[in-house]
């Protein structure tokens, strides 16, 4: 479930707490934008397909499909924690519409550190109701993830190396501090993501990857 969103913005995400805002200027980073996790949907987990019979993956066996949309987040600080609340919508469609039906679709929210380490995970379900004759249904879901503020804050020495102003002619003026292994590793450790998607089986993941 490795996400690719740890790019240049990761530096801004990791430097300090949620309350600060800042910008990049010539010579260094003067301040920071946010310490809140980046929120996203991992590739291949934003859609789910149920089959009847379950062992089939033929188009004629598709029973219910669901898509996760409108993913939004709010981020607040509560003492030593940074809490991210994620909300989303699920739009579903069924093939047979003769009778009313309730369908539960499972979802997860994972807090990922450094692009690959899952440090927390919660699983829930979205409940959808189809009336008789109705092919489509929608519902909303929500989940929250917590990050320790200290873990999302860079050590003072690393922050100084990133924010120190550099002047033309200095020995390290043209050196990007993120090319220094220990600086890059510290930024990665302090970078978190809150990833939400459908809780899929191995077969469902393979179907999404090959359809």
């Amino acid at each position: 479930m490795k996400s690719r969103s740890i790019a240049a913005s990761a530096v801004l995400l990791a430097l300090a707490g949620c309350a600060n805002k800042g910008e990049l200027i010539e010579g260094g980073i003067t301040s920071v934008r946010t310490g809140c996790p980046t929120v996203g949907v991992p590739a291949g987990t934003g859609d789910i397909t149920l089959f009847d019979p379950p062992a089939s993956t033929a188009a004629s066996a598709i029973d219910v499909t669901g898509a996760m949309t409108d993913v939004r987040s709010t981020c607040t600080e509560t003492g030593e924690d940074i809490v991210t609340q994620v909300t989303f919508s699920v739009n579903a469609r069924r093939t047979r519409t003769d009778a009313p039906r309730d369908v539960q679709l499972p979802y997860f929210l994972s807090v990922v550190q450094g692009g690959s380490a899952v440090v927390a995970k919660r699983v829930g379900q979205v409940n959808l109701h189809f009336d008789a004759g109705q092919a489509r249904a929608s519902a909303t879901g929500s989940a929250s993830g917590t990050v320790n503020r200290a873990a999302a804050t860079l050590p003072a020495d690393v922050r100084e190396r990133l924010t120190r102003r550099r002047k033309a002619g200095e020995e390290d003026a043209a050196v990007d501090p993120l090319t220094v292994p220990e600086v890059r590793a510290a930024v990665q450790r302090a970078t978190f993501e809150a990833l939400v998607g459908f809780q899929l089986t191995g077969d469902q993941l393979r179907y999404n990857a090959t359809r």
Side-chain angles (χ1 to χ4, degrees), residues 130-154:
F130 296 89
D131 289 326
Q134 182 183 42
R136 299 178 183 272
S138 297
T140 59
S142 65
S144 63
T146 301
V147 172
N148 181 270
R149 191 195 334 238
T153 302
L154 284 176

Short mmCIF file of all heavy atoms in Angstrom, two decimals, residues 130-154:
data_model
loop_
_atom_site.label_atom_id
_atom_site.label_comp_id
_atom_site.label_asym_id
_atom_site.label_seq_id
_atom_site.Cartn_x
_atom_site.Cartn_y
_atom_site.Cartn_z
N PHE A 130 -31.10 -0.26 -1.18
CA PHE A 130 -31.75 -0.16 -2.49
C PHE A 130 -33.24 -0.44 -2.30
O PHE A 130 -33.63 -1.48 -1.75
CB PHE A 130 -31.19 -1.20 -3.46
CG PHE A 130 -29.75 -1.04 -3.82
CD1 PHE A 130 -28.76 -1.64 -3.06
CD2 PHE A 130 -29.38 -0.28 -4.93
CE1 PHE A 130 -27.42 -1.51 -3.40
CE2 PHE A 130 -28.04 -0.15 -5.27
CZ PHE A 130 -27.06 -0.76 -4.50
N ASP A 131 -34.09 0.48 -2.75
CA ASP A 131 -35.53 0.20 -2.78
C ASP A 131 -35.84 -0.71 -3.95
O ASP A 131 -35.05 -0.83 -4.90
CB ASP A 131 -36.32 1.50 -2.91
CG ASP A 131 -36.26 2.33 -1.64
OD1 ASP A 131 -36.21 1.74 -0.54
OD2 ASP A 131 -36.25 3.58 -1.75
N ALA A 132 -36.99 -1.35 -3.92
CA ALA A 132 -37.43 -2.20 -5.03
C ALA A 132 -37.47 -1.37 -6.32
O ALA A 132 -37.99 -0.25 -6.32
CB ALA A 132 -38.79 -2.80 -4.73
N GLY A 133 -36.90 -1.90 -7.37
CA GLY A 133 -36.86 -1.21 -8.65
C GLY A 133 -35.73 -0.20 -8.77
O GLY A 133 -35.54 0.38 -9.83
N GLN A 134 -34.97 0.01 -7.70
CA GLN A 134 -33.89 1.00 -7.71
C GLN A 134 -32.56 0.32 -8.01
O GLN A 134 -32.16 -0.63 -7.33
CB GLN A 134 -33.82 1.70 -6.35
CG GLN A 134 -32.77 2.79 -6.25
CD GLN A 134 -32.72 3.39 -4.86
OE1 GLN A 134 -32.79 2.66 -3.86
NE2 GLN A 134 -32.61 4.71 -4.78
N ALA A 135 -31.84 0.83 -9.01
CA ALA A 135 -30.55 0.25 -9.39
C ALA A 135 -29.39 0.95 -8.72
O ALA A 135 -28.30 0.37 -8.60
CB ALA A 135 -30.37 0.33 -10.91
N ARG A 136 -29.57 2.18 -8.26
CA ARG A 136 -28.47 2.96 -7.69
C ARG A 136 -28.76 3.33 -6.23
O ARG A 136 -29.91 3.54 -5.86
CB ARG A 136 -28.22 4.23 -8.51
CG ARG A 136 -27.83 3.96 -9.95
CD ARG A 136 -27.66 5.28 -10.71
NE ARG A 136 -27.34 5.07 -12.11
CZ ARG A 136 -26.11 4.93 -12.58
NH1 ARG A 136 -25.07 5.01 -11.75
NH2 ARG A 136 -25.89 4.74 -13.86
N ALA A 137 -27.69 3.45 -5.46
CA ALA A 137 -27.80 3.90 -4.07
C ALA A 137 -26.50 4.59 -3.69
O ALA A 137 -25.44 4.31 -4.26
CB ALA A 137 -28.07 2.73 -3.13
N SER A 138 -26.59 5.50 -2.74
CA SER A 138 -25.41 6.24 -2.27
C SER A 138 -25.43 6.29 -0.75
O SER A 138 -26.48 6.21 -0.11
CB SER A 138 -25.40 7.67 -2.83
OG SER A 138 -25.31 7.66 -4.24
N ALA A 139 -24.24 6.41 -0.19
CA ALA A 139 -24.10 6.54 1.26
C ALA A 139 -22.80 7.26 1.55
O ALA A 139 -21.96 7.44 0.67
CB ALA A 139 -24.11 5.16 1.94
N THR A 140 -22.65 7.70 2.78
CA THR A 140 -21.41 8.36 3.19
C THR A 140 -20.76 7.56 4.31
O THR A 140 -21.42 6.83 5.05
CB THR A 140 -21.68 9.79 3.67
OG1 THR A 140 -22.59 9.76 4.78
CG2 THR A 140 -22.27 10.65 2.56
N GLY A 141 -19.46 7.72 4.42
CA GLY A 141 -18.71 7.06 5.47
C GLY A 141 -17.68 8.01 6.06
O GLY A 141 -17.37 9.06 5.47
N SER A 142 -17.15 7.64 7.20
CA SER A 142 -16.14 8.49 7.84
C SER A 142 -15.22 7.61 8.68
O SER A 142 -15.60 6.52 9.13
CB SER A 142 -16.78 9.57 8.71
OG SER A 142 -17.47 9.00 9.80
N ALA A 143 -14.02 8.10 8.90
CA ALA A 143 -13.05 7.42 9.76
C ALA A 143 -12.03 8.46 10.19
O ALA A 143 -11.90 9.53 9.57
CB ALA A 143 -12.37 6.27 9.02
N SER A 144 -11.31 8.16 11.26
CA SER A 144 -10.31 9.10 11.73
C SER A 144 -9.00 8.39 11.99
O SER A 144 -8.96 7.19 12.28
CB SER A 144 -10.78 9.81 13.01
OG SER A 144 -10.96 8.87 14.06
N GLY A 145 -7.91 9.15 11.88
CA GLY A 145 -6.58 8.63 12.15
C GLY A 145 -5.82 9.61 13.02
O GLY A 145 -6.00 10.83 12.91
N THR A 146 -4.98 9.09 13.90
CA THR A 146 -4.24 9.92 14.84
C THR A 146 -2.74 9.75 14.64
O THR A 146 -2.26 8.63 14.51
CB THR A 146 -4.61 9.56 16.29
OG1 THR A 146 -6.02 9.73 16.48
CG2 THR A 146 -3.87 10.45 17.28
N VAL A 147 -2.04 10.88 14.63
CA VAL A 147 -0.58 10.90 14.51
C VAL A 147 -0.02 11.66 15.70
O VAL A 147 -0.52 12.73 16.06
CB VAL A 147 -0.14 11.58 13.20
CG1 VAL A 147 1.38 11.76 13.16
CG2 VAL A 147 -0.61 10.77 12.00
N ASN A 148 0.99 11.11 16.34
CA ASN A 148 1.65 11.81 17.43
C ASN A 148 2.43 12.99 16.87
O ASN A 148 3.21 12.86 15.94
CB ASN A 148 2.60 10.86 18.16
CG ASN A 148 3.29 11.52 19.32
OD1 ASN A 148 4.36 12.10 19.17
ND2 ASN A 148 2.69 11.45 20.50
N ARG A 149 2.20 14.18 17.44
CA ARG A 149 2.81 15.38 16.92
C ARG A 149 4.35 15.31 16.97
O ARG A 149 5.03 15.77 16.06
CB ARG A 149 2.34 16.61 17.69
CG ARG A 149 2.75 17.91 17.02
CD ARG A 149 2.64 19.14 17.91
NE ARG A 149 1.68 19.05 18.95
CZ ARG A 149 0.65 19.89 19.12
NH1 ARG A 149 0.45 20.84 18.22
NH2 ARG A 149 -0.14 19.79 20.15
N ALA A 150 4.89 14.71 18.02
CA ALA A 150 6.34 14.60 18.13
C ALA A 150 6.93 13.76 17.00
O ALA A 150 7.99 14.08 16.46
CB ALA A 150 6.73 14.01 19.49
N ALA A 151 6.21 12.70 16.61
CA ALA A 151 6.69 11.84 15.53
C ALA A 151 6.64 12.54 14.18
O ALA A 151 7.40 12.22 13.27
CB ALA A 151 5.88 10.55 15.48
N ALA A 152 5.71 13.51 14.04
CA ALA A 152 5.55 14.23 12.77
C ALA A 152 6.37 15.52 12.71
O ALA A 152 6.22 16.30 11.78
CB ALA A 152 4.08 14.55 12.55
N THR A 153 7.22 15.74 13.70
CA THR A 153 8.03 16.95 13.76
C THR A 153 9.50 16.59 13.59
O THR A 153 10.01 15.69 14.25
CB THR A 153 7.84 17.67 15.11
OG1 THR A 153 6.44 17.98 15.26
CG2 THR A 153 8.64 18.97 15.16
N LEU A 154 10.17 17.31 12.72
CA LEU A 154 11.59 17.03 12.48
C LEU A 154 12.44 17.44 13.67
O LEU A 154 12.14 18.43 14.35
CB LEU A 154 12.07 17.80 11.25
CG LEU A 154 11.64 17.23 9.90
CD1 LEU A 154 12.10 18.14 8.78
CD2 LEU A 154 12.19 15.83 9.69
#
